[in-house]
Amino acid sequence: MECALGVATHFPSCSKPQIINSPHARFLTLKCHSISLSDNSSTGLAERPWKVADARLVLEDGSIWRAKSFGASGTQVGEVVFNTSLTGYQEILTDPSYAGQFVLMTNPHIGNTGVNFDDEESRQCFLAGLVIRSLSISTSNWRCTQTLGDYLAERNIMGIYDVDTRAITRRLRQDGSLIGVLSTDVSKTDEELINASRTWDIVGVDLISGVSCKAPYEWTDKTNSEWDFNFNGRNEETFRVVAYDFGIKQNILRRLASYGCKIKVVPSTWPASETLKMKPDGVLFSNGPGDPSAVPYAVETVKEIIGKVPVFGICMGHQLLGQALGGKTFKMKFGHHGGNHPVRNLRNGSVEISAQNHNYAVDPESLPEGAEVTHVNLNDGSCAGLAFSQLKLMSLQYHPEASPGPHDSDPVFGEFMQLMKREKQNV
């Protein structure tokens, strides 16, 4: 029997069994011959009745992982990271902070709830590709409008499944994030793909400019009443907030609006002088992809704004604030990606289960006097939050809006409201 990639290409075809009776024995005689699945003329079979491995994930360490493709076809390079969230794959797909990355889901079963428009976090998918263990063969959810495979294909995003995601995750934890190449192109050799993975780098690349909006716009949508969950600390007062879009998630804007903010979203390159002319009550520096050291223009913008109005930084915004204060950032071994990261609030001793997505962190030892570390990641002790009372500054390394993830950190939006309220009273 001939095999290719461990899959049989010839199978026995048997004639009707002949029963032979004798006084001493009773047995069956079967006459069989081999059928080749490639012999279309004789069998009428156009192709195998199941999907076979037709894609490769090649990592820069030389390992080659064969898998089955879904979504788009082609060849794509990116940094491979793993995400430990149990739910919310559509929010992850549309999180701009994943630009330039292949997201490997550690939860094995993906696609069972399909996709729907309401769960999107941005205008498109910015990630390089999706890597999963098992692709659901059916969808079952009352909000579903499309299958995951069709959704990715329409957006030209590659995906692979039937690959050992546990083994790849262990490799990433041991060796750190790796550059990889996804390909369905049979004309490319393994050596060519390995070489492509070793000649591309994500460090020092400005990924923010590719995900930011191109012109300012107003945001008014609040969290839908069906999904709203925290009415404590809401303000009847309205605050005017300018939100810098470094790759902002829509649920950050919805939470701000729900807490009483009138929001103007501006591009990543928007001049600080124009922001200050708007006389906002506060400024938000949003999440975003990549290396904060690759966007010195954003650091300069932050420098010009801090101390003049209350500011709140989230994720990339937190890192930019750290650099603007004179601190340093560094690339983590494999980053934090998932909806189950424990964080301790050093001010009150409480522990939050948080949603995180970042590969860089602020070095707290490099921060100037007056800067306070307010939150610490309990998995590795890294800096997860900052404050500088004299400069009316606060920030978190993680996502208080979650989406997906737990809502433990949502009250921090109320803290930002109080920071703006105190500043208004002091004017």
Side-chain angles (χ1 to χ4, degrees), residues 16 40 61 63 70 103 134 140 160 174 269 276 313 347:
K16 183 177 179 180
N40 298 340
D61 64 1
S63 60
F70 70 108
V103 179
S134 175
S140 179
I160 59 170
Q174 292 168 3
T269 54
L276 296 174
R347 287 177 163 177

Side-chain angles (χ1 to χ4, degrees), residues 38-57:
S38 61
D39 186 6
N40 298 340
S41 59
S42 62
T43 67
L45 295 175
E47 58 184 15
R48 298 180 180 92
W50 59 85
K51 188 174 179 69
V52 297
D54 61 347
R56 288 167 289 171
L57 171 62

